[in-house]
Amino acid sequence: MQHFPIFIALAGRRVVVSGGGDAAIAKLRLLLKTEAHLTVFASDPAAEIAAWAEAGRLRLVRRAMEPGDATCAALFYGADEDEAEDARTAALARADGALVNIVDNLGDSQFITPAIVDRDPVTVAIGTEGAAPVLARAIKADLEARLPQTLGPLARIGKAFRKMAEALPMGRKRRDFWSDYYFDAGPRAYEEGGEDGAERALDTLLDRHLASEARPGHVAFVGSGPGDPELLTLKARNALDTADVVIHDRLVAPEILELARREAILIDAGKEGFGAHTPQGDINDMIVDHVRAGAQVVRLKSGDPTVFGRLDEEIEAVDAHGLSWSVVPGITAASASVAAIGQSLTRRGRNASVRYLTGHDMKGFADHDWATLARPGEVAAIYMGKRAARFIQGRLMMHGAAPATPVTVIANASRADQKIVATTLAQLSTDLSAADLSGPALVLYGLAPRAAAAALPDIQPQQEAL
Ligand code: SAH
C-alpha cells in the first residue's frame, strides 16, 4: 500500500486551489462539500468558479499564485493543467507547508483524492493508486446503486439515538436493532415521514426490540418492469434483495426472479391475460397470510403495478387486516415499447394526451371511446390487445379512423426476443396473424417506428400548436 487512506478534518481549515478551468472545477465540486475555507487563484476563472465566489462559497483571487499564498493551508491542489505552472505553484505551496496534489500527476503529488460515494456522514473512498481509474469508477457506480440515498440522513438521525439504544444489551440484540433501522424500518419511515418519521420509527423500534417482539410483516407491491433486468428500479432490486417471500405473476422475467434473495420463497401466482391462473381471491389470501406471519413479502408484478395490475384489490385485502404495505413503481410496457421504436408517447402538434387501454376486461373485449380515438393524431397503448386486435380494428374503422393510421405491435419489449410488427389499421389483424407472435405484446395505435414514420403521409395534426 503506497498510499494510506485517512479522512482529514477540514472544517475551518484553508485549502488552496490554483487554476480556473475544468480540472479546478472538478476538484472544487468535491471540496465545496466540506467546511474548508477555499481560496482559488486563477487569472481567468471559469464562470462557474466566479459564481461560487459571488455566492460567498469560496474566495477568488484573480491572479497567478505568489510565494506565501498557501500559508497555513492544509491542502493544495495544482490544477492549472499546465506542467510548468503546476510545478511552479506546487513548489510554492510546499514551501508554505501544505500537502500538495497536482491533478493528473501522481508522481509529483503527496496525496491523491479518491473516488467518493457521498452519503454524508457515511463516506466511502475508493482508490487504486492510479492503477485503474476505470475500476474505481465501476466500484463507485456499484456502491452508488447499492446504498440508498436515505442512508446519510438515517445515519445522522441514528447517531443522535446511540445513547438511547444502549438500553438494549450490547452484542447481537443491539446489532439487530440497528440493522432493522438502517435497512428496513428506517428507510421506509423516512420515505413516508421524512426526518420526523425516521425519529419516530426509532422510538417504536426500540420499544419493540426491548419487548423482544418480532418485526411485523410487510408487503411491497413492486413493478418488475417489462423484462430487461436493467430496467428494474434500484428500489425494486433492494426489495428483492431482502424479501422473505416473492409472489410473482407469470409475466415476470426469469432473469429478474434470479435476483431475489437466495433464501426467499418464490411463489408463482400464475396470472396471465388468458389461460390458467390463480383466482384473485387466492392471491389476496396468500399475501395476507404471509404478511400476518411476519414475512417481508414482495408482490412482484410485470411493468408498473398500477397499470392493469389489479393492485387495488390486493391493497384492499391487506388493508382489511390492518397490515403494512408500500408501492414501488416500475417501467410500464408502454414506455418500453415506444423506446423500442424510437418514438414519444406524446408529441407537440400531434397528440397532447395518450391513453392506456386494455384490449379485454373481465367481461371480454373492452369497449372504449372509439369515436375520440378515431380522430387523426390520437395515440393509444393497448395492453392485452393481441387477441382483441380484430375487434379494435373493426370498432375504430367503424368510427371513421383512417385505414392508413400507423399501428405498431411490440412483443416482448426490452427482452432478447423482442419483435416489432409495423403495420396500419387496415392491415392490423392480417399482419398480426401472419407474424404469429408469442409472448406479451403491446399494440401502439397511432405510432410507427421512427425510421418508417418519415415515409408515411402527413398525419393531420390534432391541434396546431401544443
Ligand atoms: N402492469 C403491466 C401490464 C400488465 S397487463 C405493465 O405496466 O406493463 C399485461 C399486458 O402488458 C400484456 O398483455 C401486454 O400487453 C403488456 N406487456 C407486459 N409486458 C410486456 C412486454 N415486455 N412487451 C410488450 N407488452 C408487454
Side-chain angles (χ1 to χ4, degrees):
M1 198 191 285
Q2 290 182 1
H3 292 79
F4 184 64
I6 55 168
F7 290 87
I8 298 185
L10 279 186
R13 303 211 49 195
R14 270 194 95 203
V15 173
V16 174
V17 176
S18 176
D22 289 343
I25 291 177
K27 289 292 178 269
L28 286 168
R29 273 214 190 96
L30 290 177
L31 289 166
L32 281 167
K33 292 170 183 266
T34 71
E35 290 165 36
H37 292 310
L38 303 176
T39 307
V40 179
F41 291 91
S43 319
D44 183 18
E48 208 164 339
I49 297 177
W52 282 326
E54 209 138 292
R57 302 186 64 193
L58 51 78
R59 193 164 78 88
L60 176 59
V61 184
R62 290 173 187 263
R63 61 165 171 78
M65 245 178 89
E66 289 166 11
D69 276 342
T71 307
C72 291
L75 303 178
F76 169 78
Y77 282 93
D80 281 283
E81 301 169 81
D82 174 302
E83 219 173 295
E85 181 61 1
D86 282 340
R88 188 185 76 83
T89 59
L92 291 178
R94 224 175 270 129
D96 284 338
L99 262 185
V100 167
N101 172 277
I102 302 176
V103 174
D104 286 336
N105 180 347
L106 186 64
D108 294 328
S109 292
Q110 292 170 294
F111 71 95
I112 48 183
T113 314
I116 292 169
V117 179
D118 174 15
R119 298 288 185 276
D120 184 43
V122 178
T123 312
V124 185
I126 306 149
T128 63
E129 306 208 320
V134 174
L135 201 58
R137 269 200 293 278
I139 296 170
K140 174 176 153 70
D142 201 38
L143 289 173
E144 288 284 5
R146 195 128 24 124
L147 300 178
Q149 290 294 336
T150 50
L151 202 64
L154 284 178
R156 218 170 301 122
I157 297 163
K159 192 173 170 185
F161 200 78
R162 293 195 76 83
K163 268 252 149 318
M164 301 281 285
E166 283 170 13
L168 284 164
M170 221 162 75
R172 177 102 192 270
K173 282 219 151 214
R174 211 181 286 171
R175 272 203 311 278
D176 283 353
F177 166 78
W178 285 117
S179 140
D180 208 351
Y181 168 66
Y182 279 114
F183 299 105
D184 187 49
R188 215 184 284 150
Y190 189 86
E191 244 153 59
E192 276 166 23
E195 307 224 341
D196 291 347
E199 276 167 18
R200 277 197 305 274
L202 273 172
D203 288 326
T204 337
L205 204 60
L206 183 60
D207 288 346
R208 217 177 68 221
H209 279 253
L210 282 170
S212 295
E213 282 169 21
R215 131 180 117 159
H218 176 86
V219 56
F221 298 98
V222 176
S224 73
D228 177 352
E230 288 194 53
L231 291 179
L232 273 174
T233 63
L234 296 174
K235 278 217 169 94
R237 276 215 65 162
N238 286 336
L240 284 169
D241 265 349
T242 51
D244 298 317
V245 178
V246 177
I247 303 174
H248 64 91
D249 286 350
R250 194 156 295 159
L251 272 185
V252 172
E255 297 90 315
I256 288 171
L257 295 174
E258 287 281 312
L259 298 172
R261 192 164 72 98
R262 204 180 292 273
E263 300 79 15
I265 303 168
L266 295 185
I267 301 170
D268 180 355
K271 249 176 22 134
E272 246 176 333
F274 291 90
H277 63 261
T278 317
Q280 187 61 49
D282 292 1
I283 298 176
N284 297 352
D285 292 347
M286 200 148 58
I287 297 171
V288 167
D289 287 349
H290 283 290
V291 177
R292 283 173 88 176
Q296 304 302 302
V297 178
V298 165
R299 171 69 176 111
L300 198 59
K301 293 169 176 287
S302 77
D304 183 272
T306 73
V307 178
F308 304 126
R310 300 188 71 175
L311 175 65
D312 301 75
E313 289 155 71
E314 296 179 12
I315 288 180
E316 279 154 26
V318 170
D319 262 344
H321 291 85
L323 301 168
S324 120
W325 56 269
S326 57
V327 179
V328 178
I331 292 182
T332 188
S335 300
S337 297
V338 277
I341 62 167
Q343 287 291 9
S344 289
L345 280 171
T346 62
R347 180 177 172 153
R348 271 170 87 98
R350 183 191 61 203
N351 64 312
S353 66
V354 62
R355 279 152 214 264
Y356 289 8
L357 310 180
T358 171
H360 73 86
D361 56 24
M362 314 245 275
K363 297 191 286 291
F365 294 145
D367 246 319
H368 298 285
D369 180 3
W370 304 113
T372 306
L373 269 177
R375 291 193 322 217
E378 289 287 332
V379 170
I382 307 172
Y383 290 71
M384 298 171 273
K386 215 165 43 173
R387 288 217 198 167
R390 182 179 290 278
F391 169 79
I392 293 166
Q393 179 190 38
R395 288 295 153 106
L396 283 164
M397 303 267 274
M398 200 169 82
H399 284 86
T405 307
V407 178
T408 309
V409 183
I410 296 103
N412 304 307
S414 88
R415 301 182 189 205
D417 52 356
Q418 170 178 294
K419 285 221 163 50
I420 296 171
V421 178
T423 178
T424 57
L425 186 59
Q427 285 298 313
L428 175 60
S429 54
T430 314
D431 285 355
L432 209 49
S433 313
D436 193 23
L437 298 172
S438 60
L442 189 97
V443 178
L444 286 173
Y445 168 76
L447 289 176
R450 183 169 291 275
L456 284 170
D458 264 358
I459 299 164
Q460 208 59 33
Q462 177 191 338
Q463 263 172 273
E464 273 317 316
L466 298 176

